[in-house]
């Protein structure tokens, strides 16, 4: 009966929430302020400072009706956090309900670095050596593979690769016999396997865990982990199916931080794929003992010539780990993000897992997308690389100096977010079914950029369909991790200053804007990694970012609206090179929250400028034209953002974003020649779903030629027009959404204008990037662009990738160097057409 009452209460609370006006749910504190009591609610039980109190039970009749007679309070068990880690309901309906229940949703955040030091059941030594005792109590009774090296070297795949490589070697060298070539390749394969393999040690895991508890408590405020998320991982770990962790890559600390968190929560540490740039003395042994196995950052020494032996060894090694039930961890982005945005997925290592499933080596695998949010990065923000300098290689003494610097610096808090594990088997079946049906969810045309579709081994994935499936699961995992990435305090502060207040702002106005952006983020069901008073959060973020990025001027005087002198603090961001790259790195982690709405707004502004240039009257635009212009902008920025998962159409996602702007009254929609209609996005979506279902119901037995749903025909025949609203506060929000993407748009405009240096010549891609950066810097000095980040090498590389994809430039390899030249269809005169594609979205 208690469960029935709780169910009624939950249902009624949800009903009341739907009836409320659209506004974000206020966040409560993660922890109480100093001197304040700490309450935590549970059904039928209250806790206060360690004491518990069970209230008297109501009679049966009163208990059944209590949820209606009294105000409904949603039991959250602590600080509310939006549930954003659930699986996709479109292609993973079974996994969405797996390992998840209302108990999971009501769990709290917890600081994993906090170890209890006081307990009545603990002795004196246990209390004094709490970290050591805690690590000894962790469950490390896991079985790790033995004789793995022998299994790899004796596998059929490696043997075939050795025979092929031996034949090629003997063919290239007339003096080498086939037998000697085989012996040489066998020795090479054995050395590769030894250098690659992890040597997991339970003693080392405990020892490093003890060291990290001491070190991380000195340099970090906390490592926040949602207990419900880690509980889902624990439930998945109880099965015999291997887990594959797919974290976003921001810092070198990612390699050991995820293993450390899993160790603290009694989950078997995974084998972690690490780049061979970290294979340096001492640290190499430590990483291998913690589960790291080293792979080449560039699999082939020479472009166009595959190292089949190395690929076969790596493929077989990972396949054997999966076969023996071991967990894997690799970074789906490949390297660390240089811009703060989520990078495009790399499918090489993902293809190994998919191949293992397709070849029936494993029956299934659970993918666990993970995001790690840092208030302040430990290993820099890649400023020098964005300025054009070469990456500094990792060395032993460089690592020692970095660790010494880290130990003397405060890096704030870290938030580790685990997405709900989803089944590879279910995803593959769903994708294959959609592909056979020819539906829109066939994982094509979603606005995702082309990821790496090459099989790791190079011969295992030959079918186009299988390559598409590998890319789809990689893109879907990356989208899930990016969507659950929390916004930290430094991210939000940098975003507000870079987008709205490049010229500086007083603290009072900054607090208002900070709170407004936070509400908008939570309203979009995205989480923030901080809590507390806004002014305290801002001051905390200012301390972490430092005075070299944001200048704080005290006793600043200005006149308010009543012409009175007011003293306040002026916050002034440093927007000159190279400091701006620091700020934009943190700010870019928030851009993805508003990217779709910003795309729609910039599309509308582009149409407005086009209308003004033609001298046309009126400010109405057909819905079809707005969505078409928005899709064009998405295609131009396809290497910058992940707009939608592969199972969802980009057109549908943009249409939903447009409906949200209409619901927010930033736009008004009306039928041509009719009055404005103010339907909410929920009502609009419900109407489309009903129309879609009725259409399929009516036409399921029909053999007619008409295949376009009625709601799509209504949009295509331009029955709906849009009108920009400029009411109180709406213009400021419109300006904000316009400015979100303007730095990127100006960067692409600068790159398109610099392509004239390729006229009549061919040059190395690195040289082209240098010339494009010089052109952007010249525009910045002349005042033709107001964004210094237009000279970012990382963004300019994405520009070149886009130009190559659109066949504006051609790329080829010459002497292992990547060369570029203009396509034959373009010359210095026709490049103006390319520039106009980007400049139409430029605000000024």
């Amino acid at each position: 009966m208690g469960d029935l009452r709780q169910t009624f209460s939950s249902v009624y609370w949800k009903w009341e929430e739907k009836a409320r006006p659209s506004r974000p749910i206020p966040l409560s504190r993660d922890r109480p302020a100093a001197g304040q009591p700490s309450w935590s609610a549970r059904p039928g039980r209250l806790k206060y400072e360690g004491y518990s109190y069970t209230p008297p039970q109501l009679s049966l009749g009163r208990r059944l009706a209590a949820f209606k007679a009294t105000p409904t309070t949603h039991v959250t068990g602590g600080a509310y956090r939006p549930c954003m880690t659930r699986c996709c309901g479109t292609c993973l309906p079974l996994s969405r309900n797996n390992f998840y229940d209302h108990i999971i949703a009501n769990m709290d955040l917890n600081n994993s670095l906090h170890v209890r030091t006081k307990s009545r059941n603990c002795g004196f030594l246990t209390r004094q050596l709490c970290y050591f005792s805690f690590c000894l109590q962790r469950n490390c009774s896991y079985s790790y593979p033995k004789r793995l090296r022998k299994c790899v070297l004796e596998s059929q795949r490696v043997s075939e690769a050795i025979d092929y490589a031996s034949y090629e070697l003997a063919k290239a060298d007339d003096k080498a016999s086939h037998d000697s070539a085989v012996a040489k390749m066998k020795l090479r394969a054995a050395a590769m396997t030894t250098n690659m393999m992890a040597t997991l040690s339970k003693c080392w895991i405990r020892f490093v865990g003890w060291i990290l508890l001491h070190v991380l408590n000195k340099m970090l405020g906390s490592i926040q982990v949602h207990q419900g998320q880690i509980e889902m991982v624990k439930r998945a770990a109880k099965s015999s199916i291997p887990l594959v962790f797919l974290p976003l890559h921001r810092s070198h600390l990612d390699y050991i931080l995820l293993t450390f968190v899993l160790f603290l929560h009694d989950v078997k540490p995974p084998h972690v794929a690490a780049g061979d740039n970290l294979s340096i003395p001492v640290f190499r042994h430590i990483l291998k003992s913690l589960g790291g196995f080293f792979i080449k950052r560039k699999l082939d020494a020479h472009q166009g010539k595959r190292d089949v032996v190395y690929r076969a060894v790596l493929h077989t090694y990972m396949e054997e780990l999966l076969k023996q039930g071991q967990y894997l961890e690799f970074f789906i982005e490949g390297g660390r993000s240089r811009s703060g945005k989520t990078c495009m997925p790399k499918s090489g290592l993902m293809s190994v897992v998919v191949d293992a499933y397709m070849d029936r080596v494993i029956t299934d695998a659970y993918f666990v997308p993970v995001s790690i949010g840092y208030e302040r990065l430990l290993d820099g923000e890649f400023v020098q690389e964005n300025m054009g300098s070469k990456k500094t290689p990792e060395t032993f003494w460089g690592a020692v100096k970095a660790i010494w610097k880290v130990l003397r610096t405060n890096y704030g808090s870290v938030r580790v977010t685990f997405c709900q594990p989803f089944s590879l088997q279910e995803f593959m079946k769903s994708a294959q079914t959609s592909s056979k049906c020819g539906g829109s969810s066939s994982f094509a045309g979603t606005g995702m950029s082309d990821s790496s579709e090459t099989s790791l081994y190079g011969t295992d994935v030959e079918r186009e369909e299988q390559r598409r499936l590998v890319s789809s699961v990689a893109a879907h995992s990356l989208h899930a991790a990016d969507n659950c990435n929390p916004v930290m305090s430094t991210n939000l502060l940098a975003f507000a200053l870079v987008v709205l207040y490049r010229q500086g702002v007083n603290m009072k106005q900054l607090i208002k804007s900070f709170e407004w952006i936070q509400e908008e983020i939570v309203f979009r069901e995205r989480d923030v990694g901080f809590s507390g008073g806004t002014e305290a959060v801002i001051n905390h973020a200012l301390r972490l970012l430092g005075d070299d990025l944001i200048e704080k001027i005290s006793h600043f005087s200005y006149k308010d609206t009543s012409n009175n002198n007011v003293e306040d603090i002026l916050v002034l961001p440093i927007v000159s090179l190279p400091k701006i790259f620091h700020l934009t790195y943190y700010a870019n982690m928030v851009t993805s929250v508003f990217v779709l709405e910003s795309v729609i707004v910039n599309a509308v502004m582009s149409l407005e400028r086009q209308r003004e240039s033609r001298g046309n009257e009126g400010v109405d635009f057909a819905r079809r034209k707005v969505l078409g212009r928005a899709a064009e902008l998405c295609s131009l920025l396809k290497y910058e953002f992940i707009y939608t998962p592969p199972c969802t159409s980009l057109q549908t996602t943009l249409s939903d974003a447009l409906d949200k702007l209409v619901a927010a009254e930033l736009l008004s929609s009306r039928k041509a020649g009719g009055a404005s209609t103010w339907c909410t996005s929920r009502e609009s979506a419900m109407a489309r779903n009903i129309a879609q279902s009725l259409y399929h119901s009516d036409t399921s037995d029909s053999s007619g030629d008409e295949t376009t749903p009625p709601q799509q025909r209504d949009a295509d025949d331009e029955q709906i027009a849009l009108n920009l609203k400029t009411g109180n506060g709406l213009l400021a929000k419109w300006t904000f959404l316009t400015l979100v993407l303007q730095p990127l748009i100006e960067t692409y405009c600068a790159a398109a204008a610099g392509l004239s240096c390729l006229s009549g010549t061919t040059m190395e891609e690195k040289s082209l990037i240098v010339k494009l950066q010089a052109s952007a810097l010249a525009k910045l000095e002349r005042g033709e662009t107001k964004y210094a980040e237009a000279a970012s090498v990382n963004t300019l590389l994405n520009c070149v990738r886009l130009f190559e994809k659109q066949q504006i430039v051609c790329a080829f390899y010459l002497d292992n160097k990547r060369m570029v030249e203009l396509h034959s269809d373009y010359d210095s005169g026709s490049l103006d057409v390319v520039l106009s594609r980007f400049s139409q979205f430029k605000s000024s």
Side-chain angles (χ1 to χ4, degrees):
M1 186 60 66
D3 294 339
L4 181 60
R5 175 175 171 267
Q6 180 65 26
T7 302
F8 283 162
S9 178
S10 177
V11 170
Y12 189 73
W13 175 83
K14 292 179 180 179
W15 181 262
E16 286 187 333
E17 282 298 310
K18 290 183 178 181
R20 294 180 183 179
S22 297
R23 61 179 180 87
I25 302 175
L27 296 178
S28 59
R29 296 178 181 269
D30 287 344
R31 62 180 72 177
Q36 294 185 359
S38 173
W39 291 90
S40 61
R42 292 292 186 272
R45 186 177 180 87
L46 298 176
K47 294 183 179 179
Y48 178 75
E49 293 184 350
Y51 299 95
S52 62
Y53 166 69
T54 303
Q57 299 295 317
L58 299 174
S59 63
L60 177 60
R62 293 181 61 189
R63 291 203 304 269
L64 287 175
F67 74 93
K68 187 66 180 74
T70 59
T72 303
T73 303
H74 182 55
V75 179
T76 62
Y80 172 79
R81 286 294 184 263
C83 187
M84 54 188 181
T85 61
R86 299 290 300 278
C87 290
C88 174
T90 303
C91 56
L92 297 166
L94 299 179
S95 295
R96 184 175 176 83
N97 297 320
N98 205 8
F99 312 122
Y100 183 86
D101 51 35
H102 69 281
I103 298 177
I104 295 291
N106 294 335
M107 288 185 174
D108 300 337
L109 288 171
N110 182 55
N111 181 11
S112 296
L113 293 178
H114 177 68
V115 177
R116 295 184 60 185
T117 59
K118 295 181 180 180
S119 175
R120 296 179 180 178
N121 300 325
C122 297
F124 175 76
L125 288 178
T126 302
R127 294 195 299 270
Q128 295 300 314
L129 304 175
C130 57
Y131 290 163
F132 182 76
S133 174
F134 180 79
C135 291
L136 286 180
Q137 295 173 11
R138 297 305 92 205
N139 181 21
C140 287
S141 58
Y142 310 117
S143 60
Y144 293 107
K146 299 179 179 179
R147 297 183 297 179
L148 191 60
R149 182 174 182 273
K150 182 179 180 181
C151 294
V152 171
L153 295 177
E154 294 180 356
S155 67
Q156 181 180 355
R157 180 184 287 108
V158 174
S159 298
E160 292 177 353
I162 289 176
D163 290 340
Y164 176 81
S166 301
Y167 172 78
E168 292 293 326
L169 179 61
K171 182 179 178 181
D173 188 359
D174 297 335
K175 297 181 180 180
S177 64
H178 179 72
D179 293 338
S180 62
V182 170
K184 182 178 180 179
M185 287 299 167
K186 285 185 178 180
L187 290 175
R188 182 168 178 262
M192 287 177 181
T193 307
T194 302
N195 293 331
M196 180 187 302
M197 286 179 53
T199 56
L200 268 165
S201 170
K202 301 174 185 178
C203 295
W204 264 103
I205 291 176
R206 294 185 190 274
F207 175 73
V208 174
W210 173 66
I211 294 294
L212 288 177
L213 277 174
H214 284 278
V215 173
L216 295 181
N217 267 293
K218 297 292 184 182
M219 51 186 283
L220 297 177
S222 64
I223 298 179
Q224 297 290 337
V225 180
H226 195 285
Q227 295 305 291
Q229 297 169 4
I230 200 67
E231 180 62 28
M232 288 192 294
V233 175
K234 287 183 176 180
R235 293 180 182 181
K238 292 180 181 179
S239 65
S240 58
I241 298 175
L243 271 61
V244 181
F245 295 94
L246 304 171
L248 301 180
H249 201 8
R250 297 292 180 267
S251 168
H252 281 319
L253 186 62
D254 298 341
Y255 290 104
I256 59 176
L257 186 60
L258 183 56
T259 297
F260 174 67
V261 170
L262 294 176
F263 163 73
L264 295 181
H265 292 88
D266 295 329
V267 179
K268 180 168 63 174
H271 288 70
V272 185
D276 59 355
N277 58 310
L278 297 179
S279 182
I280 53 181
V282 180
F283 297 98
R284 170 186 175 86
H285 176 72
I286 295 175
L287 289 177
K288 293 188 73 171
S289 300
L290 297 177
F293 62 95
F294 295 98
I295 62 176
K296 293 181 180 180
R297 295 176 61 87
K298 190 175 181 180
L299 296 183
D300 304 315
H302 301 281
Q303 185 64 33
K305 185 178 180 181
R306 287 180 175 271
D307 190 345
V308 293
V309 176
Y310 183 82
R311 290 173 176 265
V313 168
L314 177 56
H315 191 120
T316 307
Y317 176 71
M318 294 180 62
E319 190 177 86
E320 285 294 329
L321 290 175
L322 293 170
K323 184 178 180 181
Q324 298 188 30
Q326 300 301 310
Y327 298 167
L328 288 180
E329 174 192 340
F330 54 86
F331 300 100
I332 198 68
E333 300 170 281
R336 291 171 294 168
S337 172
R338 264 59 180 173
S339 63
K341 300 190 296 291
T342 301
C343 301
M344 295 300 105
K346 304 294 189 300
S347 304
L349 297 183
M350 179 67 74
S351 67
V352 178
V353 186
V354 176
D355 290 349
Y357 168 76
M358 300 295 285
D359 296 339
R360 300 183 180 180
V361 176
I362 57 175
T363 57
D364 197 1
Y366 285 131
F367 286 123
V368 187
V370 183
S371 71
I372 304 176
Y374 297 90
E375 281 194 314
R376 180 179 178 183
L377 280 184
L378 279 70
D379 46 1
E381 293 84 15
F382 314 103
V383 173
Q384 297 304 319
E385 292 183 40
N386 275 319
M387 287 297 297
S389 301
K390 292 184 178 180
K391 178 182 180 294
T392 304
E394 288 79 3
T395 61
F396 173 76
W397 291 113
V400 171
K401 292 179 182 178
I403 292 175
W404 179 252
K405 178 182 177 181
V406 161
L407 293 177
R408 297 182 299 166
T409 310
N410 177 27
Y411 288 90
S413 297
V414 175
R415 176 80 174 275
V416 182
T417 305
F418 295 89
C419 293
Q420 185 179 12
F422 68 89
S423 167
L424 172 63
Q425 182 185 66
E426 181 186 7
F427 184 91
M428 299 297 284
K429 290 182 178 179
S430 176
Q432 291 170 349
T433 302
S434 300
S435 180
K436 291 178 180 179
C437 294
S440 61
S441 58
S442 58
F443 300 175
T446 62
M448 297 288 299
S449 67
D450 299 329
S451 60
S452 172
E453 297 182 350
T454 306
S455 170
L456 180 65
Y457 182 45
T459 59
D460 292 336
V461 182
E462 294 293 344
R463 294 178 301 168
E464 179 66 25
E465 179 184 358
Q466 188 168 338
R467 287 197 296 268
R468 192 185 310 116
L469 291 175
V470 171
S471 298
S472 296
V473 68
H476 206 292
S477 302
L478 191 62
H479 180 271
D482 180 64
N483 198 48
C484 75
N485 197 17
V487 175
M488 310 302 286
S489 61
T490 49
N491 302 143
L492 203 156
L493 177 62
F495 180 76
L497 294 176
V498 167
V499 175
L500 294 175
Y501 303 116
R502 289 184 175 241
Q503 305 301 322
V505 61
N506 62 75
M507 180 63 74
K508 185 177 180 180
Q509 181 62 35
L510 180 59
I511 291 174
K512 293 181 180 179
S513 299
F514 192 94
E515 291 177 343
W516 174 75
I517 297 176
Q518 179 182 349
E519 291 176 353
E520 292 294 324
I521 291 173
V522 178
F523 180 68
R524 288 159 176 79
E525 297 185 348
R526 295 288 295 268
D527 202 2
V528 294
F530 58 88
S531 62
T534 303
E535 186 172 2
V537 172
I538 291 177
N539 287 325
H540 171 71
L542 287 172
R543 286 192 298 270
L544 290 176
L545 292 175
D547 296 335
D548 57 336
L549 295 184
I550 302 176
E551 188 177 358
K552 192 175 177 181
I553 303 175
S554 303
H555 308 294
F556 172 73
S557 299
Y558 67 96
K559 294 185 180 294
D560 60 6
T561 55
S562 302
N563 204 27
N564 298 322
N565 288 328
V566 179
E567 284 195 1
D568 202 348
I569 297 174
L570 177 65
V571 179
L572 184 64
I574 309 300
V575 295
S576 59
L577 291 172
K579 300 296 184 181
I580 185 61
F581 291 141
H582 283 271
L583 288 176
T584 54
Y585 185 94
Y586 290 99
N588 282 338
M589 299 183 187
V590 192
T591 306
S592 62
V593 179
F594 302 97
V595 63
L596 287 172
E597 290 159 301
S598 182
V599 165
I600 296 293
V601 168
N602 279 284
V604 173
M605 294 303 296
S606 172
L607 291 172
E608 169 65 13
R609 286 188 292 270
Q610 182 180 359
R611 181 196 63 80
E612 291 178 351
S613 64
R614 295 177 178 178
N616 297 333
E617 297 182 357
V619 291
D620 293 345
F621 310 105
R623 181 187 184 97
R624 181 183 61 182
K625 289 185 178 180
V626 173
L627 293 178
R629 188 63 61 90
E632 181 182 359
L633 180 56
C634 287
S635 66
L636 295 178
L637 302 179
K638 63 184 299 184
Y639 292 108
E640 302 293 340
F641 301 103
I642 302 173
Y643 302 103
T644 181
C647 59
T648 306
S649 167
L650 176 62
Q651 193 72 9
T652 301
T653 304
L654 290 174
S655 182
D656 291 341
L658 180 57
D659 290 338
K660 291 178 181 178
L661 292 175
V662 172
E665 300 185 9
L666 284 173
L667 296 171
S668 65
S669 66
R670 67 171 184 267
K671 293 183 178 180
S676 299
T677 58
W678 299 99
C679 60
T680 65
S681 58
R682 181 182 302 172
E683 293 170 345
S684 182
M686 184 181 299
R688 288 198 305 270
N689 291 337
I690 293 175
Q692 183 76 19
S693 62
L694 292 175
Y695 170 75
H696 286 300
S697 176
D698 293 340
T699 60
S700 57
D701 298 329
S702 175
S703 58
D705 296 332
E706 188 177 357
T707 58
T708 304
Q711 74 276 13
Q712 182 177 344
R713 291 199 302 270
D714 289 342
D716 290 345
D717 61 11
E718 303 184 5
Q719 291 295 314
I720 299 178
L722 301 173
N723 180 32
L724 175 62
K725 300 291 292 185
T726 58
N728 184 26
L730 297 180
L731 185 58
K733 187 174 181 179
W734 183 271
T735 304
F736 162 77
L737 291 175
T738 303
L739 294 175
V740 168
L741 288 179
Q742 282 304 307
L744 272 177
I745 293 173
E746 289 210 8
T747 304
Y748 277 76
C749 288
L755 281 179
S756 58
C757 66
L758 279 178
S759 298
T761 184
T762 301
M763 66 178 65
E764 190 178 357
E765 185 181 48
K766 295 179 180 179
S767 301
L768 174 62
I769 296 298
V770 171
K771 289 184 177 294
L772 293 181
Q773 186 182 43
S775 175
L777 291 174
K779 285 180 173 293
L780 183 63
E781 292 179 358
R782 295 193 300 266
E784 296 178 10
T785 179
K786 55 185 176 181
Y787 298 106
E789 57 267 39
S792 170
V793 168
N794 181 79
T795 308
L796 292 175
L797 282 170
N798 289 339
C799 293
V800 175
R801 290 180 62 192
L802 178 70
F803 297 152
E804 182 183 0
K805 184 66 177 179
Q806 294 186 341
Q807 297 184 352
I808 300 172
V809 301
C810 301
F812 59 94
Y813 284 89
L814 180 65
D815 296 332
N816 214 30
K817 294 181 180 179
R818 184 175 170 85
M819 312 296 292
V820 290
E821 62 182 8
L822 278 179
H823 195 273
S824 57
D825 294 339
Y826 291 91
D827 53 29
S828 57
S830 58
L831 286 178
D832 293 338
V833 179
V834 177
L835 179 59
S836 64
R837 297 178 190 172
F838 300 95
S839 59
Q840 64 179 332
F841 297 103
K842 191 175 177 181
S843 61
S844 59

